[in-house]
Amino acid sequence: MKWMTKTSMILAPAFFVLAGLATVVPDRATAAQDGIKAPAGKLAAIKSISVTGEGAATELVIVLSSPATYTSYKTSAPLRLVIDLSQASQGAITSPQVINKGNFKTVTANRFDTDAGVLTRIDIELLSDAEAVISASPIKPGELRISFPSLVIKPVSDSNAVQPVKIVNAPAASQPTQTPAPKQLVGSIRTLTSISVKSDKIELAVDGGVADFNSFRLNKPERFVIDLMDTQLAMASRLIPLNTSGVASARIGLYPDKVRVVLDSVNGSFPEASVAKSGHGLTVTLNVKPNDDPAVTRADKAAEVPLASATPVPQAVQPTAVKPELSRNISKPVGFEPPSVEMIDFQVVENISRVAVKVKGDVSVEPPVNTPGFVTLTVKNAGLSKHLQRSLETKSFISPVLRITPLLVKTRKGTDTKIRIAMRVVAPYEFRQEGDVYFVDFKNPAGITADKLPAAILDTRSQTYSNGSAKDTELASELMPVSDSSVRSTATGRGYKGRKVTLEFADAEVRKIFQLLSEVSNKNFVLGDDVTGTISIKLVNVPWDQALDIILDTKNLDKREDGNIIIIKGKGKFKSQAEEEQELKKALTKAIELKSEIYNINYSDIASIVTQLNNLKTDRGTIAQDARTNKIIVKDIPQVLDDMRKLIVQLDVPEKQVMIEARIVEASSTFTRSLGVNWGLHYRDGSASFLGINQLDTSFGGQASTPPPLTGLSGNPGSAMGISFGTLTSNIQLDLRLNAAASAGLIKIVSTPKVATLNNKTAKITQGQQVPYTSSTSDKVETKFVEAALSLEVTPHINANGTIGMKIDAKNDSVGTVPSGSTAPSINKKQATTEMLLRDGETTVIGGIYVDSDTESDDGVPYLMDIPFLGKLFKSNNKTKVKTELLIFITPRILNTI
């Protein structure tokens, strides 16, 4: 169990392989790995992300709360390293971390909840493209360290020390040219900087020197391939025109562990060539005799066998011998080596197509599983070498095997390798084992020959390259791209979700490109006769469906999809075809016999139904209506009559009815209070001795009216008290009266009008009176009426979701007082007009008016009422409060329909 914990942190192979020129993905099988669903439990969380070291020795340290399984891969656009942590959360890392040290720029952590559990993706933006080393600390569980040792240049202490030679198996049809590694700085970066022509030689300038390289030839057409191992590309263009000694151009493809240079011939015949190291890199010498030049590799002599475009090996690959004096410097692995798949080979021996798989370590190989179109071989508990993570194209062989695709699949118990063998035709097979090599032998069907292979398969084998117009097509299967099924959006708003391809052509035939896209998309392409011409295009890592649209727009073509069939024709051809079909349809319609039918209209307006039927009738059809019987007579073809019958069933339905209930509530409250003091002064003199006055009565104070006698009862509300001070003299008497009164009132009026109506029909209900008044002019006198009524006017509209939209006009008017100088009475208006949306049976308030008035006044004797304290004896105080409130409630209800 301890070993399993450690190995769970081993760096998984990169998922992405940089695509080369004219690259397509010919099969649906990809290197996607199955997610490992960890058992439910506490998630590991990122505790911190920090940086240690300086300069090229900088390390990025990621500390987790507990160990977690992870995978990693690197992308080139943008340049970044991606680490996916399974069953882990981003913890406290919620924003991008800016590093800007060493090869690290920024670090971003994002959490994703998937069907397999929680996944946290760490995006590390890089400064330079280099191989990353990810290590897990055995002392500190949960700690990951990322570094780039390939960027560190370490001086060699002993300049005379002999460097070990790397043993490389041939990736193609023959043994590679093996050359000892030059003396150079350990860990330096090698980059291909230029390809140039000097006389009959082609110079490949490699900065940092060449360590290992392979060279071999390919046929149909002939071309020369050079693989620069552990080398990167530093050139802007990947297509270099050479035009020297029978060599047309050089094409460059990128792999994770090498750079491939393909030299194309001018007329399909490549001259004899040899490869040797030089002070600046490699030198390819052309037009030499193999017997005279020892530098010519055995690959040049073995080029007579037809090879698959992915360079399957026609015979077992033997390791290149190592010089005895250098063998002691080759370090051997010590300790346990994990099981893995070491080699995948394909060859045709007589009538047998043989797939050979060599394994290493303790593995379990299950018998092949036959599924429609595929035979799958599963190697349990085995990894897959990085250089094997690409498809092997075998379409150039006369064989039932079309393609071999190895996949690295994660399971609950570890990692398995699946080898999917795509079949061109169904063929019987035999599975056997010899030591550590497993064989799947397919028996070639009887009669299968090159001239009987499907045309789509022979395209890349039978091409002619008269003007180099389609030279890049063959390379399409040599350099494998990365599959990407994510949906992409463009500036036009169109989403593309096809697999990524890289296309780079110079004057290539458009029809050939469509055939390549047909392989990628697994769709059938039908090309019209007007699909011709050539195109020069360079598209890097774009979805195939986007590449298809770009080519269609460029060549003025159009497409139409029907299931998995894509039909391509010239612009406007589909429209012309549709117009022809429409004309043919009209001609056939005119030949159909007319029929008559009568339709009964029960609920709808017959005129509106006729208007709708006019849109369906043909040119020969007629429609008549009978208003008395509410029927429609139609004469037309049977198909139109059926359409009209279906339309009438949908339209001739009873309208729903709506009951609208309104409640108009009026409430008013009043309060009045009056306080005052009245004085009365009386003078009586029967002899009228004073100025002839025999009687004088006066009053003053809060009330201006003469106070009533002290005796007797008052009918006024409130309280009144009178005091007589007696006779001041024989003729003068003084009286005092106190007045206090208060009144309060509450009035509440509730009006409830209701009205029912059909959907979309206006209904109105009114109750009230019309008040007459006289209006006179110079020549006549007439009586007019003013309406004071309670009314409700509603227009409902029932929506499909059951809600009701209404236009409402509710009012409650009353007769007021007649203004002074007028014969017409005043009308107190209370009205609300609105539009609103309610649910069935829902009540809401559509209007509310609230009036609050407060009045206070003082009456008394001038000047005396203003005296402090004593002024209250000479005045009265009146206070009045009036509150008025108006509310209108609306409740709609849908009534049961017929």
Side-chain angles (χ1 to χ4, degrees), residues 486-497 543 546:
S486 60
V487 178
R488 300 166 183 84
S489 296
T490 61
T492 61
R494 183 181 302 177
Y496 295 101
K497 55 182 180 181
Q546 184 180 7

Side-chain angles (χ1 to χ4, degrees), residues 556-569:
N556 199 26
L557 300 174
D558 204 352
K559 70 175 181 178
R560 186 175 66 186
E561 294 192 37
D562 185 6
N564 66 337
I565 300 176
I566 298 178
I567 305 173
I568 299 177
K569 293 184 178 182

Side-chain angles (χ1 to χ4, degrees), residues 10-90:
I10 295 176
L11 174 63
F15 288 83
F16 289 88
V17 180
L18 297 179
L21 307 179
T23 307
V24 297
V25 181
D27 191 66
R28 287 190 175 187
T30 63
Q33 297 185 349
D34 297 337
I36 303 175
K37 188 172 183 180
K42 186 176 180 181
L43 299 176
I46 301 177
K47 299 173 65 176
S48 65
I49 298 178
S50 59
V51 177
T52 62
E54 294 292 338
T58 303
E59 285 187 330
L60 183 69
V61 181
I62 303 175
V63 180
L64 304 171
S65 60
S66 60
T69 305
Y70 70 90
T71 59
S72 67
Y73 58 90
K74 188 171 62 175
T75 64
S76 58
L79 182 60
R80 57 177 182 164
L81 176 66
V82 181
I83 301 176
D84 288 339
L85 300 172
S86 177
Q87 301 301 326
S89 65
Q90 63 189 62

Side-chain angles (χ1 to χ4, degrees), residues 461-484:
R461 300 178 64 247
S462 59
Q463 291 167 0
T464 58
Y465 302 94
S466 57
N467 295 319
S469 61
K471 287 183 179 180
D472 297 305
T473 306
E474 178 65 14
L475 193 59
S477 56
E478 293 181 23
L479 306 173
M480 292 297 104
V482 179
S483 63
D484 190 354

Side-chain angles (χ1 to χ4, degrees), residues 205-529:
V206 180
D207 189 7
V210 177
D212 297 321
F213 72 92
N214 304 322
S215 63
F216 51 92
R217 298 172 67 102
L218 294 175
N219 291 339
K220 296 184 180 181
E222 292 186 0
R223 55 207 185 278
F224 196 79
V225 181
I226 303 171
D227 286 342
L228 301 173
M229 311 306 295
D230 298 326
T231 304
Q232 300 178 8
L233 181 64
M235 299 174 60
S237 176
R238 297 188 185 182
L239 181 62
I240 310 299
L242 299 177
N243 299 321
T244 179
S245 301
V247 180
S249 61
R251 290 172 293 149
I252 305 173
L254 291 180
Y255 284 82
D257 57 342
K258 64 186 176 183
V259 171
R260 171 167 290 183
V261 180
V262 180
L263 302 178
D264 291 319
S265 60
V266 175
N267 296 317
S269 177
F270 199 89
E272 296 294 337
S274 65
V275 184
K277 292 185 179 180
S278 63
H280 301 287
L282 287 180
T283 299
V284 181
T285 304
L286 304 174
N287 298 320
V288 297
K289 295 181 180 181
N291 295 332
D292 297 338
D293 193 338
V296 179
T297 64
R298 283 177 292 174
D300 300 327
K301 301 178 182 180
E304 302 299 332
V305 182
L307 301 177
S309 56
T311 65
V313 184
Q315 59 183 2
V317 178
Q318 301 297 331
T320 304
V322 183
K323 294 182 180 181
E325 63 272 21
L326 299 179
S327 60
R328 64 179 180 273
N329 294 325
I330 302 177
S331 60
K332 298 181 180 180
V334 180
F336 175 79
E337 292 186 8
S340 63
V341 175
E342 289 295 295
M343 181 267 294
I344 300 175
D345 186 21
F346 176 79
Q347 52 185 310
V348 178
V349 181
E350 296 182 352
N351 290 328
I352 299 298
S353 297
R354 177 168 297 163
V355 178
V357 179
K358 183 179 180 181
V359 299
K360 180 184 68 174
D362 185 13
V363 299
S364 174
V365 181
E366 297 181 350
V369 177
N370 193 359
T371 57
F374 295 95
V375 174
T376 304
L377 180 66
T378 302
V379 183
K380 307 290 289 185
N381 191 30
L384 183 64
S385 300
K386 192 172 183 180
H387 69 279
L388 295 178
Q389 293 181 21
R390 62 188 183 95
S391 294
L392 277 72
E393 292 295 317
T394 62
K395 63 174 65 178
S396 296
F397 287 97
I398 303 175
S399 167
V401 178
L402 176 64
R403 184 179 302 107
I404 304 172
T405 304
L407 303 174
L408 191 63
V409 179
K410 285 190 175 181
T411 64
R412 294 180 180 273
K413 297 182 180 180
T415 302
D416 296 345
T417 294
K418 291 183 179 293
I419 301 172
R420 297 187 65 188
I421 305 172
M423 304 300 298
R424 178 181 290 143
V425 294
V426 178
Y429 63 86
E430 177 186 355
F431 177 64
R432 59 189 176 88
Q433 176 186 2
E434 294 182 4
D436 59 354
V437 181
Y438 294 82
F439 297 93
V440 182
D441 292 340
F442 294 90
K443 185 177 181 180
N444 294 350
I448 182 171
T449 58
D451 56 346
K452 293 185 179 181
L453 289 177
I457 299 173
L458 291 174
D459 283 339
T460 57
R461 300 178 64 247
S462 59
Q463 291 167 0
T464 58
Y465 302 94
S466 57
N467 295 319
S469 61
K471 287 183 179 180
D472 297 305
T473 306
E474 178 65 14
L475 193 59
S477 56
E478 293 181 23
L479 306 173
M480 292 297 104
V482 179
S483 63
D484 190 354
S485 59
S486 60
V487 178
R488 300 166 183 84
S489 296
T490 61
T492 61
R494 183 181 302 177
Y496 295 101
K497 55 182 180 181
R499 306 175 77 180
K500 275 198 311 187
V501 297
T502 296
L503 304 173
E504 186 169 349
F505 299 100
D507 296 330
E509 293 184 15
V510 175
R511 302 179 72 90
K512 300 297 183 182
I513 300 177
F514 286 146
Q515 290 168 2
L516 290 176
L517 294 180
S518 176
E519 267 194 78
V520 175
S521 61
N522 200 25
K523 290 182 178 291
N524 300 309
F525 277 53
V526 178
L527 307 180
D529 295 336

Side-chain angles (χ1 to χ4, degrees), residues 672-736:
T672 304
R673 185 190 65 191
S674 178
L675 297 175
V677 178
N678 297 328
W679 295 93
L681 184 62
H682 310 282
Y683 174 74
R684 300 288 187 271
D685 186 0
S687 61
S689 59
F690 181 71
L691 300 177
I693 300 173
N694 59 9
Q695 183 177 346
L696 176 65
D697 292 303
T698 181
S699 65
F700 57 93
Q703 297 292 334
S705 61
T706 303
L710 296 176
T711 61
L713 298 177
S714 173
N716 296 327
S719 175
M721 181 178 66
I723 302 174
S724 177
F725 290 96
T727 302
L728 300 181
T729 62
S730 58
N731 297 327
I732 300 174
Q733 185 178 3
L734 181 64
D735 295 333
L736 172 65

